[in-house]
Amino acid sequence: MKEYKADKYVYIFLFVITILVLICIISNIIYYLYLILEHFKVTEYIREVIVFVLVTAYAAFAFVILPLWLHSLCFTVSSKEIMICSGVVVKRKIYIPLRNIQYTTMLGTPILGKININFLLIETYSGRIIMPFLSLHDMEEINKIIQKL
């Protein structure tokens, strides 16, 4: 039985991407609020309040929820089953017997593979399970264990 975790560099990548998205959202909100404030002559404190709420929500997401979720994400592979654990507030465990797996698909690109953003899709009789943020080595190792059966 071996346990796999999400790679630590994924957090840095997701943190940078979410900062860029937040900057785009805030700049658009400031621009459109400026147009609205000019047209309706509403107080300018609305813009500051909305930006403050967005930055606070982002800080809660980036510094609390995202690290807790990535830390709770783990995959345990044994000779009979795969167990996927995740969740921040509500812990979720999924057990997949290896005999129920129809096929697997390894998803990754050369650029995202360098920062270990690879996904293993497991197709079972009851649906599809995604194992996110695996290193290339871990993804290939899990795929080999599954393919042996």
Side-chain angles (χ1 to χ4, degrees):
M1 184 180 313
K2 187 169 180 184
E3 187 171 299
Y4 302 92
K5 297 287 246 177
D7 195 64
K8 62 183 175 182
Y9 297 112
V10 171
Y11 173 70
I12 297 168
F13 176 75
L14 292 176
F15 185 77
V16 169
I17 292 297
T18 55
I19 283 178
L20 294 176
V21 169
L22 181 72
I23 290 171
C24 291
I25 290 171
I26 287 177
S27 63
N28 284 328
I29 286 174
I30 289 173
Y31 173 72
Y32 287 115
L33 282 178
Y34 176 75
L35 293 177
I36 291 170
L37 292 175
E38 287 291 319
H39 189 270
F40 292 110
K41 303 292 185 210
V42 184
T43 179
E44 290 190 18
Y45 293 114
I46 294 174
R47 178 182 352 169
E48 295 168 359
V49 168
I50 291 176
V51 170
F52 175 75
V53 167
L54 283 175
V55 169
T56 305
Y58 169 75
F61 173 76
F63 295 115
V64 177
I65 296 171
L66 187 61
L68 286 175
W69 180 73
L70 285 174
H71 182 70
S72 72
L73 193 62
C74 72
F75 314 104
T76 305
V77 180
S78 69
S79 61
K80 294 183 181 181
E81 67 183 5
I82 295 175
M83 182 178 68
I84 302 172
C85 302
S86 66
V88 176
V89 176
V90 177
K91 301 292 182 185
R92 187 176 95 166
K93 289 186 180 182
I94 300 172
Y95 294 94
I96 306 167
L98 291 181
R99 67 179 182 278
N100 290 350
I101 295 175
Q102 293 177 314
Y103 63 89
T104 60
T105 305
M106 295 190 301
L107 294 176
T109 62
I111 295 171
L112 294 177
K114 300 269 187 225
I115 50 176
N116 293 328
I117 297 185
N118 300 301
F119 301 91
L120 184 64
L121 274 69
I122 300 174
E123 191 73 33
T124 65
Y125 294 119
S126 61
R128 179 178 296 158
I129 305 294
I130 299 173
M131 297 174 74
F133 309 128
L134 292 167
S135 68
L136 185 61
H137 178 266
D138 290 346
M139 183 176 63
E140 290 173 346
E141 191 174 326
I142 293 170
N143 195 35
K144 285 179 185 175
I145 292 171
I146 293 171
Q147 297 300 325
K148 284 182 183 177
L149 298 176

